[in-house]
């Protein structure tokens, strides 16, 4: 059983819970994981010592972020598609419309 499936089986969103655990610190994450994993009664490895499994999993979490970026200051793709590319797309589209009109006119 994976941690993702274990969290999902207990009704948690695995990605939200992972983010919450990663931002809470090692001790809090260990306690929360221990409480979550203690809810499993049908997995023998967790029933024996869910605390040790929780400690091992908490050690694998990334360290909490010390600062956050408030937002991007420069757009990732400032002028995409470029003007010349737009013109080429317009010409191709126009030619496709003309070809369609030509085909329709020839079939009637």
């Amino acid at each position: 059983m994976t941690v993702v499936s274990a969290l999902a089986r207990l009704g948690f969103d695995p990605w939200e819970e992972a983010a919450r655990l990663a931002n809470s610190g090692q001790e809090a994450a260990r306690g929360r994981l221990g409480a979550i994993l203690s809810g499993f009664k049908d997995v023998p490895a967790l029933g024996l010592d869910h605390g040790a499994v929780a400690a091992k999993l908490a050690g694998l979490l990334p360290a909490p972020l010390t600062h956050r970026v408030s937002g991007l200051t420069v757009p990732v793709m400032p002028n995409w598609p470029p003007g010349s590319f737009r013109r080429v797309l317009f010409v191709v589209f126009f030619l496709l419309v003309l070809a369609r009109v030509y085909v329709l006119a020839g079939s009637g």
Side-chain angles (χ1 to χ4, degrees):
M1 167 174 299
T2 66
V3 176
V4 173
S5 64
L7 290 172
R9 282 179 58 191
L10 290 173
F12 293 99
D13 179 293
W15 309 116
E16 287 179 13
E17 192 60 35
R20 200 173 298 121
L21 289 168
N23 287 328
S24 66
Q26 287 287 330
E27 290 299 316
R30 186 178 307 134
R32 174 110 174 111
L33 276 170
I36 290 171
L37 296 177
S38 68
F40 272 101
K41 306 298 181 205
D42 61 339
V43 180
L46 293 177
L48 295 175
D49 195 7
H50 60 271
V53 174
K56 185 175 180 180
L57 290 174
L60 297 174
L61 290 169
L65 295 175
T66 56
H67 65 284
R68 297 195 181 271
V69 177
S70 62
L72 295 175
T73 56
V74 177
V76 176
M77 299 185 85
N79 187 21
W80 182 255
S84 59
F85 184 71
R86 282 187 227 149
R87 282 187 224 113
V88 169
L89 283 178
F90 176 75
V91 169
V92 168
F93 177 74
F94 184 73
L95 290 174
L96 288 172
V97 169
L98 281 178
R100 175 78 174 172
V101 169
Y102 178 74
V103 168
L104 289 176
S107 67

